[in-house]
Amino acid sequence: MLIVVDPTRVARRLRVRGVVQGVGFRPFVYRFANSLGLVGWVRNDGGGVEIEIQGSEPVLDAFTQCLASEAPPLARVDVIEPEVIPPDHSRKDFAILPSAEGEVATAIGPDVGVCRACLSELFNPDDRRWRYPFINCTHCGPRYTITRSLPYDRARTSMAAFELCAGCAAEYGHPGDRRFHAEPNACPECGPRLSLHEPHGLTALARDPLAEAVRRLQLGEIVALKGLGGFHLACDASNAAAVARLRERKARPHQPLALMVANVASLAGRAKIGAAEAAVLESPERPIVLLAKLPGCDEAFPGIAPDLDEIGAMLPGTPLHYLLFHEAAGRPAGTAWLDDAQPLALVMTSANPHGEPLVQRNDEAFERLADIADVLLMHDRDIVVRCDDSVLRLRPDLPATPGEGDGKRAGVQFLRRARGFTPLAMPLDASGPAVLAFGAHFKATLCLARGAEAFLSQHIGGLDNPAACAALDEAAAHLQAILSVRPAAVAHDAHPDYYSTRAALALADALDVPSIAVHHHHAHIAAVCAEHRLDGPVLGFAADGVGLGTDGLPWGGELLYVDGAEFRRLGHLSPLALPGGDRAAREPWRVACAVLHALGQRDEAARRFAHQPAVEQVLAMLERGVRCPPTTSLGRWFDAAAGLLGLADTTSFEGQAAMRLETLARRIGQTFPLAGGYHIDTRADGPSVLNLYPLLHLLVGETDAARGASHFHATLIDGLAQWIGDAAHATGQRRVALSGGCLLNRELAGGLRHKLGARGLAVFEAQHVPPGDGGIALGQAWVARAELRRGLL
């Protein structure tokens, strides 16, 4: 064969790293190279995408430059590593090669919502995928939750069980097709199928499972629905009896429930939605977004978010979700109906018995949801990884995140980071050894730091039962497998009794690597440092419900000086007694009783809480100092204020009393701090103390709960700002990191940001990781790396 040598031909090997598998990157490279007349090949491997490309040097330069700027919408190109190689003059075309093995240095993309092109096919009666619940392409659909290992190929996903039919195989193999190398590609002939079942496993009598499920919803029944990453429990959000029944069966009497509507127009007049909120709701990630209620919201959706001024809403994220609304709308042809308000609104909440992890498997659904759901709509595609819905809110006072030029993520703060965002990597300030951090006990997540990136796992939840603990173990194993990482160290909370601590120690022992204990509130501040890539010391205010302190007592209102692996406690809130220990965290009246006792108002406590059968027992405990451990937790100060103002004697979920207090405060609007509401005790030989007892003393006689809530917030913010400002002046440190679950309170966080900024301080908050315990693992990994850098382990 005659080989013609082109003297102008040069060749390069390009290594592309980032989110470049499962997002249509290879087809994009194929089409782009062919359009420029280049030859060579592209393939997936453990490191990401590898390209060998040949042509004239100017065209290769243009090709390389456009790989990042013109990449598919779901791709994220972090780095392109070029290497000059000898040209192969026998190469005459450009091809997609089979994936190569190798050390994994890439990551799979997250699950994303169905794209507009697929919706057009889904609602076209003449299309072969008309109303097919598993339609997808390279621009949308499942990724993370169906993937067992990398490189990302169909054989390594739960779609391996479904052999492509001739039509789907032709699409998969055609370079010009939107489904070219779309690994989850399927159709009604060859792909997953829906089925409807009664709670104990019998197949329901239904010609069309989806149509019957919608009929059941409209009758007021509860439907368990298998989605991406797990099951949801759904019911008609306008049916008060159905909502109440769902709450009773799930043992969730007050905690807010998420709402799903067909589109933004369906929320008109019910929730406040600006351009930024609409953009996030309609984004491919499809998170739950907290929105301000408008008048009439609670009447339209009774019992969804009682006693709160926000409602969590999301739009359909999968074809199956869209088909529920399509069925209710009468199966209109085309997509025009998607722009019109739809009457159907659904509660769409995680399918799990109270306190247990998300239901993942079909057999598990029959076992665990039989007493909750009236009927189950499921399918035969396995969910490899549990992944709950992400929850976030927009805060206009927060800065835009660098690198997100469209501004859609400006002011975003996560409450829960999961589907749509896991396992996207967070960039770190420097590369380092691999560390797996096991997080805390509540709102558990994991974090695996690899190179200059950190991969935060999906939300797992509280580790209060064996099923949740097993879910943590599964997530840890999968994260190591999917990233092909053997940790060089393991990090964990300093609390010895947390299951996350025991699991971390067991893994460290099995791998024969160091285990590093990180104190809870140090990790809270470290998470902010990691996210914002802050190098050097910072002041940190960590405020939450509870975390073990270095003195063995429960902390939760801490002023810290943090410098990498080191931290120093500069101050704390004045201690509160917790009559009955942990029980006081669920019964704010006990904390209020302790405050009144400390203020010398025992008789007032006995009178005010006479309806509580244990009041005399609690007062006796306080008088004797028995079973009343002290805590510096800001969360308990919120509980005390709520108890004194009569907002909540008891709570059914974490943060309930504080959320009611915040909601009431916003009704009043901005008020001035109460004079003499706090004082700061400074000591030369120990931490300073912000004493808030004067504030609660002023609230004892308050008869207007909303006014009291507003004064509480204003005075607390003023005291914290003065306290933190004094520490900044004393240390010369001008950077302040705010973290902990209490910083999800917008009044508190926004007020502190404003007042500290007015003092010339730079304020940093958790945004793309939750400020609560869901972000602890990132902070642990960051501190553990700092420990390893010091060479002490």
Side-chain angles (χ1 to χ4, degrees):
M1 181 178 65
L2 178 64
I3 297 176
V4 179
V5 176
D6 179 358
T8 66
R9 179 183 285 196
V10 296
R12 295 175 189 166
R13 180 178 291 117
L14 304 177
R15 157 69 58 207
V16 186
R17 302 187 190 277
V19 181
V20 289
Q21 294 191 14
V23 292
F25 195 79
R26 288 174 300 167
F28 154 71
V29 170
Y30 176 92
R31 290 190 289 267
F32 189 32
N34 276 296
S35 72
L36 296 177
L38 300 173
V39 300
W41 51 261
V42 60
R43 67 182 179 186
N44 282 346
D45 66 8
V49 167
E50 185 181 14
I51 305 168
E52 282 197 6
I53 194 81
Q54 303 181 63
S56 67
E57 190 160 14
V59 177
L60 288 193
D61 289 342
F63 172 84
T64 305
Q65 183 177 358
C66 290
L67 278 181
S69 61
E70 303 296 326
L74 299 182
R76 191 194 73 211
V77 176
D78 292 337
V79 64
I80 300 173
E81 301 167 356
E83 176 189 354
V84 176
I85 59 174
D88 176 5
H89 293 280
S90 65
R91 171 67 71 175
K92 301 299 182 185
D93 59 4
F94 194 91
I96 295 180
L97 300 185
S99 297
E101 301 294 337
E103 182 180 352
V104 174
T106 188
I108 187 64
D111 297 349
V112 290
V114 59
C115 69
R116 197 76 184 189
C118 283
L119 288 176
S120 295
E121 296 174 345
L122 185 66
F123 302 126
N124 178 1
D126 298 324
D127 193 278
R128 72 190 189 95
R129 291 187 175 88
W130 156 250
R131 291 178 55 81
Y132 182 56
F134 307 97
I135 190 171
N136 69 88
C137 69
T138 53
H139 304 308
C140 67
R143 299 291 190 273
Y144 178 61
T145 58
I146 64 169
T147 302
R148 293 189 167 92
S149 63
L150 293 177
Y152 177 65
D153 288 309
R154 190 180 182 96
R156 293 179 170 89
T157 73
S158 57
M159 288 299 295
F162 303 93
E163 184 177 350
L164 289 168
C165 67
C168 288
E171 294 168 334
Y172 184 89
H174 192 286
D177 197 282
R178 196 173 81 256
R179 296 186 172 89
F180 184 42
H181 281 260
E183 306 304 345
N185 191 26
C187 74
E189 182 180 339
C190 64
R193 298 173 185 269
L194 285 181
S195 57
L196 192 71
H197 299 268
E198 302 298 344
H200 295 287
L202 292 176
T203 301
L205 296 176
R207 182 177 303 172
D208 183 330
L210 190 138
E212 177 63 12
V214 171
R215 189 183 76 85
R216 299 274 197 110
L217 286 167
Q218 292 171 332
L219 288 173
E221 293 190 9
I222 298 165
V223 176
L225 180 77
K226 188 176 183 181
L228 288 182
F231 281 72
H232 282 111
L233 291 168
C235 72
D236 183 350
S238 65
N239 186 327
V243 174
R245 193 160 55 251
L246 175 58
R247 287 192 173 282
E248 180 182 5
R249 292 182 185 178
K250 201 180 173 186
R252 189 173 173 175
H254 307 108
Q255 194 168 353
L257 300 169
L259 179 74
M260 180 179 282
V261 293
N263 49 33
V264 170
S266 301
L267 285 170
R270 307 302 185 197
K272 186 176 179 181
I273 304 177
E277 287 83 2
V280 177
L281 281 165
E282 294 170 345
S283 67
E285 295 84 1
R286 287 297 199 264
I288 297 170
V289 182
L290 297 186
L291 305 168
K293 291 179 180 176
L294 292 176
C297 182
D298 287 332
E299 290 72 22
F301 309 124
I304 300 298
D307 302 315
L308 302 176
D309 58 1
E310 288 182 312
I311 190 167
M314 60 177 163
L315 304 188
T318 70
L320 180 56
H321 291 133
Y322 269 107
L323 287 169
L324 297 174
F325 294 96
H326 186 244
E327 181 70 28
R331 301 190 178 188
T335 58
W337 71 278
L338 289 172
D339 299 322
D340 300 330
Q342 300 298 320
L344 180 65
L346 298 172
V347 168
M348 197 66 70
T349 188
S350 304
N352 57 310
H354 182 69
E356 294 185 14
L358 187 65
V359 170
Q360 176 183 5
R361 301 187 314 273
N362 292 358
D363 59 342
E364 186 186 5
F366 292 132
E367 179 183 345
R368 296 173 57 203
L369 300 179
D371 296 329
I372 302 177
D374 296 307
V375 69
L376 297 91
L377 183 62
M378 54 178 57
H379 55 76
D380 54 353
R381 183 181 68 200
D382 289 342
I383 296 170
V384 176
V385 187
R386 287 184 180 91
C387 198
D388 217 329
D389 299 311
S390 292
V391 184
L392 56 81
R393 67 154 59 99
L394 289 173
R395 271 185 48 198
D397 60 323
L398 285 175
T401 302
E404 294 178 331
D406 61 7
K408 290 181 180 178
R409 296 291 184 270
V412 161
Q413 185 172 57
F414 277 82
L415 285 75
R416 186 168 75 197
R417 184 182 174 97
R419 183 185 49 76
F421 300 91
T422 300
L424 290 177
M426 299 195 65
L428 299 174
D429 60 344
S431 188
V435 173
L436 179 59
F438 274 74
H441 182 77
F442 299 107
K443 298 178 175 61
T445 60
L446 299 144
C447 180
L448 206 161
R450 183 190 71 184
E453 296 177 316
F455 297 86
L456 199 67
S457 80
Q458 67 273 24
H459 167 84
I460 297 166
L463 304 177
D464 291 318
N465 58 71
C469 296
L472 181 79
D473 294 337
E474 291 170 10
H478 184 263
L479 200 59
Q480 293 171 81
I482 201 77
L483 297 174
S484 191
V485 170
R486 183 185 190 277
V490 175
H492 58 87
D493 195 275
H495 199 301
D497 296 330
Y498 284 173
Y499 178 79
S500 56
T501 299
R502 298 198 299 273
L505 293 174
L507 180 63
D509 185 59
L511 297 177
D512 193 24
V513 299
S515 61
I516 301 171
V518 181
H519 279 93
H520 191 88
H521 298 96
H522 185 191
H524 268 311
I525 303 305
V528 178
C529 294
E531 179 180 351
H532 293 279
R533 287 177 267 183
L534 302 178
D535 189 25
V538 299
L539 279 181
F541 175 56
D544 60 6
V546 65
L548 184 67
T550 55
D551 56 4
L553 295 176
W555 290 5
E558 313 306 315
L559 185 55
L560 307 177
Y561 183 90
V562 172
D563 188 2
E566 300 286 344
F567 82 97
R568 197 166 73 247
R569 192 187 197 196
L570 301 181
H572 57 81
L573 300 182
S574 48
L576 283 168
L578 295 180
D582 289 344
R583 186 167 181 176
R586 301 185 298 274
E587 301 181 13
W589 76 269
R590 289 174 176 256
V591 193
C593 209
V595 168
L596 290 169
H597 181 269
L599 293 172
Q601 299 188 43
R602 184 199 186 284
D603 292 344
E604 173 63 16
R607 182 195 67 79
R608 186 171 296 213
F609 299 110
H611 59 285
Q612 292 292 342
V615 64
E616 288 299 331
Q617 179 186 358
V618 164
L619 288 170
M621 289 161 57
L622 288 164
E623 286 163 5
R624 297 196 306 271
V626 176
R627 294 180 56 214
C628 295
T631 181
T632 56
S633 165
L634 179 57
R636 300 293 77 82
W637 281 98
F638 273 98
D639 287 347
L644 287 174
L645 293 171
L647 298 181
D649 276 7
T650 61
T651 61
S652 62
F653 67 93
E654 184 186 8
Q656 182 182 358
M659 290 165 69
R660 287 186 178 179
L661 198 68
E662 180 189 2
T663 296
L664 274 185
R666 266 196 293 275
R667 288 186 191 173
I668 297 292
Q670 189 173 7
T671 56
F672 293 103
L674 296 173
Y678 62 87
H679 57 82
I680 300 169
D681 303 323
T682 57
R683 289 176 272 169
D685 59 345
S688 64
V689 177
L690 176 60
N691 191 329
L692 298 173
Y693 278 101
L695 168 59
L696 294 196
H697 179 72
L698 294 170
L699 293 184
V700 170
E702 179 58 73
T703 57
D704 185 324
R707 184 173 60 202
S710 183
H711 280 311
F712 174 81
H713 279 82
T715 310
L716 172 65
I717 291 164
D718 193 64
L720 289 171
Q722 181 67 49
W723 185 44
I724 296 168
D726 289 351
H729 178 75
T731 61
Q733 180 52 245
R734 311 303 294 172
R735 299 186 301 179
V736 179
L738 306 176
S739 193
C742 292
L743 272 302
L744 286 170
N745 182 313
R746 287 176 293 155
E747 297 298 302
L748 173 63
L752 269 181
R753 173 173 284 276
H754 174 74
K755 282 186 173 283
L756 294 174
R759 291 170 176 261
L761 301 178
V763 180
F764 301 89
E765 296 181 59
Q767 291 183 234
H768 285 262
V769 294
D773 283 4
I776 282 279
L778 175 63
Q780 291 173 348
W782 188 84
V783 171
R785 277 195 164 181
E787 287 271 15
L788 293 171
R789 280 197 298 269
R790 294 195 310 175
L792 300 181
L793 295 169

